[in-house]
Amino acid sequence: MNDRCEILCHEVLQGPYRRIVFHAPEIAKTAKPGQFVHIRILPLRDRILRRPFSICSADPEKGSLTVVYKIVGEGTDVLSTMKPGDVCEILGPQGNSYSMPKDDEKIYPILVAGGYGSASTYFLAERLKQKGAFLTGARSGADLLLIEEYRKLGFDVRISTNDGSVGHQGFVTDLLAHTLREAGDRKPVIYACGPEPMLIALGKLALTLGVECELSLDQRMGCGVGACFACVIKVNDKTNADGWRYSRSCKEGPVYNAKEVYLG
Ligand code: FES
């Protein structure tokens, strides 16, 4: 679906982080946690490429679609100047989604996010009937996002920062062992989004511990529809002599079971 969508609300979350809400009823109707949208920022009309953004929330009743982003380059810089009433062209929802447990399944969801990966896991937190833990890691406290929103949804929030300014000083993976103990008789399931080194470390740890784990790989993208191979990642493939093949994360992903991803 490719829609012209009006901006309903655009706000500063903190520092370079922004939250933007679009009127996008068709996308909001079908969007699932883990999917992304590909946005053409119309003031950059001469640019061919769209920018991919994880869906942070979608409300089918209101027809709204929320994205959280960080100003990191020219595209997001221009986007940050757009106001309610302005219009973007949005393609989506794109890609696959996290696997959703049945409402009565006895699972203990552990959502793990690095940086603004917390936008992708937030949509999942909203839709899950089961509440669990939200582990988030960032460089410093200034890069932690949506903490209160996760608490309001009933998630137990645990924080790590590289500089120790908030929470545990170290990596978010350090928080996992303690959190797993709290699952009790529920089956722990990890859902994660963030920088690749964090996801690789988390995937390896989950496999070692025998815990179900889904990773949303936040790759650079070009076309967003499977045509350009800009977004490839390595996945296991025993039929190949090397034991792996490339997978287009915009089509087969962005969410992969940790067992599928080639973790080196
Ligand atoms: Fe072009 Fe995935 S972004 S194939």
Side-chain angles (χ1 to χ4, degrees):
M1 206 159 302
N2 187 13
D3 284 342
R4 285 173 67 85
C5 302
E6 189 181 321
I7 297 171
L8 299 174
C9 169
H10 198 175
E11 59 181 343
V12 177
L13 277 181
Q14 66 213 39
Y17 299 99
R18 304 286 183 272
R19 174 161 44 205
I20 189 164
V21 183
F22 294 96
H23 181 60
E26 292 307 313
I27 297 171
K29 228 185 268 174
T30 56
K32 297 194 199 79
Q35 291 189 297
F36 67 96
V37 285
H38 219 202
I39 300 182
R40 176 169 287 147
I41 299 159
L42 292 178
L44 292 171
R45 205 181 297 267
D46 54 323
R47 306 300 165 94
I48 303 164
L49 294 184
R50 297 165 183 268
R51 269 80 176 165
F53 297 89
S54 294
I55 298 174
C56 179
S57 182
D59 186 331
E61 310 232 308
K62 292 186 186 148
S64 63
L65 172 81
T66 304
V67 160
V68 166
Y69 68 94
K70 181 180 184 182
I71 302 172
V72 287
E74 192 191 359
T76 45
D77 199 21
V78 171
L79 180 62
S80 73
T81 66
M82 297 181 75
K83 300 193 168 42
D86 291 344
V87 166
C88 284
E89 248 179 54
I90 306 186
L91 182 68
Q94 301 294 98
N96 68 355
S97 56
Y98 297 106
S99 65
M100 294 297 288
K102 294 200 183 80
D103 289 353
D104 60 353
E105 232 175 289
K106 217 171 162 190
I107 72 148
Y108 181 66
I110 303 174
L111 277 43
V112 185
Y116 56 97
S118 48
S120 159
T121 50
Y122 182 76
F123 191 16
L124 179 65
E126 265 192 341
R127 293 280 170 99
L128 281 171
K129 290 282 178 282
Q130 300 88 340
K131 302 304 169 194
F134 171 58
L135 316 185
T136 183
R139 241 173 269 163
S140 79
D143 299 302
L144 294 165
L145 293 175
L146 307 172
I147 299 297
E148 282 317 308
E149 282 89 338
Y150 275 94
R151 286 200 176 112
K152 274 189 208 142
L153 289 176
F155 278 77
D156 186 8
V157 176
R158 303 207 174 127
I159 295 169
S160 72
T161 50
N162 296 356
D163 65 2
S165 52
V166 184
H168 165 77
Q169 180 165 18
F171 296 114
V172 72
T173 41
D174 302 341
L175 307 172
L176 191 61
H178 175 71
T179 306
L180 282 170
R181 284 198 285 278
E182 298 194 345
D185 61 350
R186 293 164 291 177
K187 179 188 166 194
V189 182
I190 299 168
Y191 304 92
C193 184
E196 193 170 319
M198 180 202 103
L199 295 182
I200 299 285
L202 185 65
K204 284 181 178 168
L205 190 56
L207 291 185
T208 307
L209 297 169
V211 178
E212 200 59 36
C213 175
E214 296 185 10
L215 307 171
S216 174
L217 285 129
D218 199 3
Q219 294 299 301
R220 279 188 180 280
M221 284 190 190
C223 67
V225 294
C228 74
F229 287 77
C231 63
V232 290
I233 65 149
K234 287 179 176 177
V235 293
N236 296 318
D237 185 347
K238 291 206 177 79
T239 66
N240 230 325
D242 295 328
W244 59 267
R245 67 173 172 84
Y246 284 120
S247 163
R248 290 166 297 172
S249 63
C250 69
K251 283 297 266 190
E252 291 178 56
V255 181
Y256 294 83
N257 191 295
K259 289 180 197 140
E260 293 174 83
V261 180
Y262 182 76
L263 297 169

